[in-house]
Amino acid sequence: MLNQSNQLDLMFQALADPARRMMVNRLCHGPASVSELAGPLTMSLPSVMQHLQVLELSGLVQSQKVGRVRTCTIDREVLSLAEQWISDRRALWGRRLDALGDYLADNPEEPDTIQTETSQGGEQ
Amino acid sequence: MLNQSNQLDLMFQALADPARRMMVNRLCHGPASVSELAGPLTMSLPSVMQHLQVLELSGLVQSQKVGRVRTCTIDREVLSLAEQWISDRRALWGRRLDALGDYLADNPEEPDTIQTETSQGGEQ
């Protein structure tokens, strides 16, 4: 079992490629065979299989071979993990803006002091 | 200027590392100096600077040096791009589920035919 941090590593890594994002995009319309995934991509089938392997390792995509046809599906819950991580961070940012607004309302005369750094050491 | 696909590549790549996600998380609480970002990370300052460089290249983080202090901030709009890409894909998936529900309602006797593959070629 992957822990959540490892899964986020693999998932964001999997999404960091335009061909893999195209494959995820296609699979969000429904299951597809490998040749259907390869259709719009200008690359060899072995390259498509390599990208598919990265997607499968991340948990974003599962595939099953029946006869000679490998059918791929997206795991929506795994995709949600990535979305959730980002939206949680954006929520933190929103709360920080609220706090900053409160601070500025309470301290209208000294807005320049908010980010003051006092250390005189090396690169901080 | 990066096009949007390149920016998504760099952004998802930037988020595919636990140390960089910790830095993003910290910056969502407000601007921070490099030493503040380094504080909770068990790595050398040069390593922190390398991670910061990846974050800056992706556009997620900006930094400015005043005197000896480099202060880093998050770019919320860039973080939103990544979130938007994922939520758009999830929306596609939701529409696909709706269509599947409609299909099953209209064809209650033959649910097994939905994903049938007919090709007899190689790995499909």
Side-chain angles (χ1 to χ4, degrees), chain B residues 1-115:
Chain B
M1 278 294 287
L2 292 170
N3 66 35
Q4 186 166 335
S5 179
N6 286 344
Q7 185 150 37
L8 285 169
D9 290 357
L10 295 174
M11 200 164 25
F12 284 128
Q13 183 65 56
L15 293 175
D17 179 276
R20 291 196 292 268
R21 286 198 301 277
M22 278 185 75
M23 292 164 80
V24 167
N25 191 64
R26 168 62 188 83
L27 292 174
C28 283
H29 288 91
S33 65
V34 175
S35 62
E36 284 172 330
L37 289 181
L41 301 171
T42 53
M43 61 177 65
S44 66
L45 200 56
S47 297
V48 174
M49 292 300 291
Q50 280 183 338
H51 282 305
L52 180 59
Q53 198 171 21
V54 175
L55 288 168
E56 287 196 278
L57 270 174
S58 75
L60 278 169
V61 170
Q62 289 155 3
S63 76
Q64 194 177 18
K65 196 168 182 180
V66 177
R68 298 184 70 84
V69 179
R70 180 174 295 278
T71 301
C72 308
T73 51
I74 192 103
D75 188 325
R76 190 180 63 145
E77 287 188 20
V78 176
L79 192 57
S80 297
L81 273 183
E83 187 181 22
Q84 190 64 44
W85 188 89
I86 298 174
S87 64
D88 287 351
R89 302 291 95 59
R90 291 221 310 132
L92 285 178
W93 204 90
R95 285 202 289 276
R96 188 252 159 188
L97 271 195
D98 291 344
L100 189 62
D102 291 346
Y103 178 93
L104 289 175
D106 293 342
N107 299 272
E109 298 303 317
E110 43 186 2
D112 289 347
T113 63
I114 302 169
Q115 303 305 331

Side-chain angles (χ1 to χ4, degrees), chain A residues 70-89:
Chain A
R70 180 174 295 280
T71 300
C72 308
T73 52
I74 193 103
D75 188 324
R76 189 181 63 146
E77 287 189 20
V78 176
L79 192 57
S80 297
L81 272 183
E83 186 181 23
Q84 191 64 45
W85 188 89
I86 298 174
S87 64
D88 286 352
R89 300 292 95 60

